[in-house]
Amino acid sequence: MKDILISIAIMLVIGALLGLLLAIASKYLAVKEDERIETVTAMLPGVNCGGCGQPSCVAFATGLVNGEIKKVSGCKVSKPEAWTKIKEYLDSTPGPDGQITKVDI
Protein backbone atom coordinates (compact mmCIF):
# COMPACT_ATOMS: atom_id res chain seq x y z
CA MET A 1 0.00 0.00 0.00
CA LYS A 2 2.89 2.32 0.84
CA ASP A 3 4.38 1.78 -2.64
CA ILE A 4 1.11 2.78 -4.32
CA LEU A 5 0.86 6.00 -2.31
CA ILE A 6 4.46 6.90 -3.15
CA SER A 7 3.78 6.25 -6.85
CA ILE A 8 0.67 8.42 -6.75
CA ALA A 9 2.56 11.22 -4.98
CA ILE A 10 5.36 11.09 -7.55
CA MET A 11 2.86 11.24 -10.43
CA LEU A 12 1.10 14.22 -8.84
CA VAL A 13 4.39 16.08 -8.43
CA ILE A 14 5.43 15.32 -12.02
CA GLY A 15 1.99 16.41 -13.28
CA ALA A 16 2.16 19.66 -11.30
CA LEU A 17 5.65 20.44 -12.60
CA LEU A 18 4.67 19.75 -16.20
CA GLY A 19 1.51 21.86 -15.78
CA LEU A 20 3.59 24.74 -14.44
CA LEU A 21 6.04 24.36 -17.33
CA LEU A 22 3.17 24.46 -19.85
CA ALA A 23 1.71 27.58 -18.21
CA ILE A 24 5.05 29.36 -18.41
CA ALA A 25 5.61 28.23 -22.01
CA SER A 26 2.16 29.41 -23.10
CA LYS A 27 2.88 32.87 -21.72
CA TYR A 28 6.27 33.32 -23.37
CA LEU A 29 5.67 31.39 -26.60
CA ALA A 30 2.22 32.74 -27.45
CA VAL A 31 1.71 33.81 -31.05
CA LYS A 32 0.02 37.18 -31.30
CA GLU A 33 -2.39 37.38 -34.21
CA ASP A 34 -3.07 40.64 -36.01
CA GLU A 35 -6.46 41.86 -34.78
CA ARG A 36 -7.08 43.63 -38.09
CA ILE A 37 -7.66 40.25 -39.78
CA GLU A 38 -10.75 39.60 -37.66
CA THR A 39 -12.07 43.13 -38.23
CA VAL A 40 -11.58 42.99 -42.00
CA THR A 41 -13.16 39.52 -42.11
CA ALA A 42 -16.23 40.94 -40.36
CA MET A 43 -16.45 43.67 -43.03
CA LEU A 44 -16.48 41.06 -45.82
CA PRO A 45 -19.72 39.29 -46.79
CA GLY A 46 -18.63 35.93 -45.38
CA VAL A 47 -19.93 33.78 -48.22
CA ASN A 48 -16.58 32.03 -48.86
CA CYS A 49 -17.38 31.87 -52.58
CA GLY A 50 -13.78 31.84 -53.84
CA GLY A 51 -14.50 34.57 -56.40
CA CYS A 52 -11.48 36.51 -55.16
CA GLY A 53 -9.15 33.57 -55.80
CA GLN A 54 -8.84 32.72 -52.12
CA PRO A 55 -10.44 29.70 -50.43
CA SER A 56 -12.30 31.79 -47.84
CA CYS A 57 -13.07 35.31 -46.69
CA VAL A 58 -10.59 34.85 -43.83
CA ALA A 59 -7.83 34.01 -46.33
CA PHE A 60 -8.74 37.10 -48.39
CA ALA A 61 -8.70 39.30 -45.27
CA THR A 62 -5.35 37.84 -44.22
CA GLY A 63 -3.93 38.58 -47.66
CA LEU A 64 -5.18 42.16 -47.50
CA VAL A 65 -3.78 42.77 -44.03
CA ASN A 66 -0.41 41.16 -44.83
CA GLY A 67 -0.11 43.16 -48.06
CA GLU A 68 -0.17 40.08 -50.29
CA ILE A 69 -3.41 41.23 -51.93
CA LYS A 70 -3.37 44.86 -53.07
CA LYS A 71 -6.96 45.42 -54.26
CA VAL A 72 -10.01 45.29 -52.02
CA SER A 73 -12.18 45.04 -55.13
CA GLY A 74 -10.90 41.47 -55.53
CA CYS A 75 -13.93 40.51 -53.45
CA LYS A 76 -16.57 40.45 -56.18
CA VAL A 77 -19.46 39.86 -53.77
CA SER A 78 -18.85 42.97 -51.64
CA LYS A 79 -20.31 46.33 -52.55
CA PRO A 80 -18.14 49.38 -53.32
CA GLU A 81 -19.17 50.89 -49.96
CA ALA A 82 -17.63 47.91 -48.19
CA TRP A 83 -14.46 48.25 -50.28
CA THR A 84 -14.15 51.88 -49.23
CA LYS A 85 -14.76 51.03 -45.58
CA ILE A 86 -12.08 48.30 -45.63
CA LYS A 87 -9.60 50.57 -47.42
CA GLU A 88 -10.13 53.40 -44.94
CA TYR A 89 -9.76 50.99 -42.01
CA LEU A 90 -6.51 49.47 -43.28
CA ASP A 91 -5.09 52.86 -44.30
CA SER A 92 -5.67 54.25 -40.81
CA THR A 93 -5.09 51.31 -38.44
CA PRO A 94 -1.53 50.16 -37.77
CA GLY A 95 -0.76 46.53 -37.06
CA PRO A 96 1.07 45.14 -34.03
CA ASP A 97 4.38 46.05 -35.63
CA GLY A 98 3.27 49.67 -36.17
CA GLN A 99 3.05 49.30 -39.95
CA ILE A 100 0.02 50.48 -41.93
CA THR A 101 -1.14 48.38 -44.85
CA LYS A 102 -1.96 50.39 -47.97
CA VAL A 103 -4.52 48.87 -50.33
CA ASP A 104 -6.32 50.09 -53.43
CA ILE A 105 -9.97 49.80 -54.30
Side-chain angles (χ1 to χ4, degrees):
M1 185 69 172
K2 184 178 177 183
D3 292 337
I4 293 174
L5 292 177
I6 291 173
S7 299
I8 291 173
I10 290 173
M11 294 303 288
L12 288 174
V13 169
I14 290 173
L17 288 175
L18 290 176
L20 179 64
L21 183 65
L22 281 174
I24 292 169
S26 71
K27 180 178 179 180
Y28 291 106
L29 300 176
V31 176
K32 294 179 176 77
E33 188 173 324
D34 194 341
E35 297 165 357
R36 298 178 300 164
I37 295 172
E38 187 175 325
T39 305
V40 172
T41 301
M43 293 178 189
L44 292 170
V47 294
N48 297 328
C49 64
C52 60
Q54 299 296 320
S56 67
C57 291
V58 175
F60 184 71
T62 302
L64 283 172
V65 169
N66 292 337
E68 298 163 358
I69 299 173
K70 300 292 183 190
K71 292 192 173 274
V72 181
S73 60
C75 178
K76 307 298 183 200
V77 180
S78 290
K79 296 182 173 147
E81 297 85 30
W83 298 341
T84 304
K85 189 175 176 184
I86 293 169
K87 179 184 177 0
E88 289 172 355
Y89 175 75
L90 289 176
D91 287 349
S92 64
T93 308
D97 57 357
Q99 298 293 325
I100 291 181
T101 304
K102 296 288 185 181
V103 293
D104 296 323
I105 291 184

